[in-house]
Each structure stands twice: as C-alpha cells, then as structure tokens.
Amino acid sequence: MLSRAGIRARSGLGLLQHSQQLNRAARLAPAPCRWNSGLPMNIGVLFVPQQEAWVVERMGKFHRILEPGLNFLIPLLDRIRYVQSLKEIVINVPEQSAVTLDNVTLQIDGVLYLRVMDPYKASYGVEDPEYAVTQLAQTTMRSELGKLSLDRVFRERESLNASIVDAINQASDCWGIRCLRYEIKDIHVPPRVKESMQMQVEAERRKRATVLESEGTRESAINVAEGQKQAQILASEAEKAEQINKAAGEANAMLVKARAKAEAIQLLAAALAQQALGIYTTLTKPQAVKTQDEMPSAHEDSHSSATEVLKAEQGSSS
C-alpha cells in the first residue's frame, strides 16, 4: 500500500511541507494522494495552510472540508482523505499528432492552466483530475484542428485556444476543476509542407511586390497626366488673362486717344469760336456807331408821337 501511495504521489504537482507545522509521525497508506506528496496525520489539532483544502472523512464517509487555519478533529474517527491545492496549476500537455481539414499532419503541444474550484468534486468526481484533464485537452485539440485548414491554424490560434478552453470547462465542471487558459506552445509542420509553405510565402511576396510596382507605375502615370492637364489649364487661363489684359489695354488706349481728340476738338472749337467772335466784333463795330448817331432823331419822333397820343386821350376823356 505504501508503494501505491508513492506512485500516486509522483503524479501530483508539488510537495506539501507540513512536517514543521504538524509534527506528524506517520502517514495513512490506503488514501489516494492527488496534488500532494502525502496526507497529514490526525492528531486532534490541525493547522491547514493557506490555499489548501483538506477533505475529512468520518468513519469512511465524507464529513467536511477543513479551511485554512486552526481546525479540530476527533482522532481515530476522523481521517484526512484528500488534500487539494487551490492554487493555479500548470500542466504541460504532451506533444501529439493531429490532422487538419486539408489532410496535413501536425505535431502540436500546449500548456494548460487549471484551478480547483470545488474540492469535494475534485476528490470524489474523478480518480485522477490531472490525467483526465490532460487527456481531454488532447482529444479536444485533435477535434478542433480537424475543423481547420493549415493556413487557418496559424491565423486562428487565439480562437482555437478559446474553443479548447470552452470544451474542457464543459466536461470538467462535474470534476470541480476550471480551465483558465490553454496556450499552444509549438506547431511542428512536416518538412515538405514547410518547404511548400515557404515557396507559397515567397510567391505571395513576389505577387505583392509586382502589384505594388504596377500600382506605383499607374499612380505615376496618373500624376503625370494630372500635371499635364493642370499645366494646360493654367496655360490656357494665362493666355486668356493675357488676351483680356491686352484687350483692356487697347480699349483704354483707344479711350484715352478719343478723349484726347475730343479735348483737342473742343479746344479748337473754342479757339475758332473766339476768333470768329473777334472777327464779328470787328466787323459790326462801325455799324454800331452809325446806329447810335441815328438813334436821337428816332427818339425824338417817338417822343412827339407819344405826346400826341397822350393829348388825344385827354381830349376824348374830357
């Protein structure tokens, strides 16, 4: 029975250091030991370390779970049957073969992160939780890889990890264990497939380079055409502006010339009018003198006639 306990102790994840705290002198052989190296002896007064759960049976039947700190048990009647670690547990999933959707065989391994959520279920729900979860992770990995092609395996590693975690949690809920994370460590591809993938990558790079070069040539031609178009537009606009400016200049010049000619004509007309007035004045001056000499007799005649008219009016009124 001691050899059986030793075999099961080697499948655990660490050694429990209880000798200094409990001063236990012996261990009970028949109890299976998971997640620990041995079981503490019931001496009545027990100190449970932090992040551990001790499952106690009384007369072969589950009694209770001891929490961290000071606990009291009845010797001989109570026995510590299981010791469960509540810390996060890291398990290396061994490398395995898996076939993808496009019939490519891959060698893949991973790391599994677990935590015991229910010590009762972890103790009585499954015989060896570590082995059960490891096998479940391997079968789930093969199943999920069979749904993906080789290219998608590398692109969707995160979704693949999430799918494996969900599948493990659905099955391990009755075991009291929760899978926190699953990470794929390495994916080994067969040499020939690796060479073909390398050639595909190089071809894809050449394709992208050719496409980029053609796009650069296209953009260059477009830029040159746009430049020529803009140059022609600017040249036509410059020519138009030059013609408009030239026509405006010619119109302004003609207007200035017309104004100059009008002013010259006005000045000439004024000069001619003044000259004609001078000539007219010179010609009409002797006649004016003669007229002035004849004006007194006419005045006198008009005066006499006016006197006669006045007298006639007075006579008629009387």
Side-chain angles (χ1 to χ4, degrees), residues 272-293:
L272 292 175
Q274 186 176 4
Q275 185 178 1
L277 182 60
I279 294 172
Y280 176 76
T281 304
T282 304
L283 294 176
T284 57
K285 187 175 182 181
Q287 295 179 1
V289 173
K290 292 179 180 181
T291 303
Q292 289 178 358
D293 292 340

Side-chain angles (χ1 to χ4, degrees), residues 29-48:
C33 304
R34 291 194 299 271
W35 319 104
N36 57 294
S37 60
L39 296 176
M41 180 179 178
N42 181 11
I43 58 176
V45 179
L46 301 175
F47 297 93
V48 179

Side-chain angles (χ1 to χ4, degrees), residues 45-274:
V45 179
L46 301 175
F47 297 93
V48 179
Q50 186 67 33
Q51 290 297 96
E52 284 190 8
W54 292 4
V55 180
V56 178
E57 292 181 354
R58 175 168 291 179
M59 293 182 293
K61 183 179 179 180
F62 171 76
H63 176 55
R64 66 188 181 100
I65 297 175
L66 302 183
E67 297 181 353
L70 177 63
N71 293 271
F72 298 95
L73 295 177
I74 301 175
L76 300 178
L77 296 181
D78 296 335
R79 184 175 62 174
I80 301 171
R81 183 68 171 173
Y82 301 100
V83 174
Q84 301 290 353
S85 175
L86 303 181
K87 299 179 183 178
E88 187 170 344
I89 304 168
V90 181
I91 300 175
N92 287 321
V93 180
E95 187 178 44
Q96 59 178 328
S97 298
V99 181
T100 62
L101 184 63
D102 48 357
N103 296 324
V104 177
T105 303
L106 301 178
Q107 297 292 329
I108 188 168
D109 58 359
V111 181
L112 194 62
Y113 299 85
L114 305 174
R115 177 172 290 173
V116 175
M117 308 301 295
D118 189 342
Y120 177 82
K121 291 182 179 180
S123 301
Y124 297 101
V126 63
E127 178 65 24
D128 193 338
E130 178 183 355
Y131 178 77
V133 173
T134 301
Q135 294 299 315
L136 180 60
Q138 289 181 334
T139 55
T140 305
M141 170 63 71
R142 287 193 293 267
S143 176
E144 293 296 330
L145 283 178
K147 301 176 183 178
L148 301 176
S149 61
L150 181 61
D151 295 334
R152 292 183 59 191
V153 169
F154 293 97
R155 290 198 305 265
E156 301 181 6
R157 292 182 67 167
E158 293 184 1
S159 61
L160 183 61
N161 293 336
S163 300
I164 295 173
V165 170
D166 293 339
I168 292 175
N169 285 332
Q170 291 178 5
S172 63
D173 182 65
C174 60
W175 302 339
I177 299 173
R178 181 171 183 81
C179 179
L180 304 179
R181 294 181 305 278
Y182 182 87
E183 298 293 338
I184 298 175
K185 290 198 301 184
D186 296 318
I187 299 177
H188 301 284
V189 184
R192 293 185 179 180
V193 177
K194 189 174 182 180
E195 292 177 0
S196 62
M197 291 176 61
Q198 193 69 25
M199 295 175 60
Q200 182 180 359
V201 170
E202 294 178 358
E204 189 67 25
R205 290 177 180 174
R206 288 196 298 268
K207 176 183 176 182
R208 287 200 299 266
T210 304
V211 171
L212 291 176
E213 184 178 0
S214 63
E215 289 181 353
T217 304
R218 176 174 173 270
E219 292 294 333
S220 176
I222 292 174
N223 292 335
V224 171
E226 287 289 338
Q228 293 177 355
K229 177 182 176 181
Q230 293 295 330
Q232 291 178 0
I233 292 174
L234 293 175
S236 63
E237 290 180 354
E239 184 178 359
K240 177 182 177 181
E242 182 180 2
Q243 292 178 358
I244 292 173
N245 293 333
K246 185 177 180 180
E250 292 178 354
N252 290 331
M254 293 176 64
L255 183 59
V256 170
K257 289 180 180 180
R259 288 178 180 176
K261 288 182 180 180
E263 291 178 357
I265 292 172
Q266 289 178 358
L267 293 175
L268 180 60
L272 292 175
Q274 186 176 4

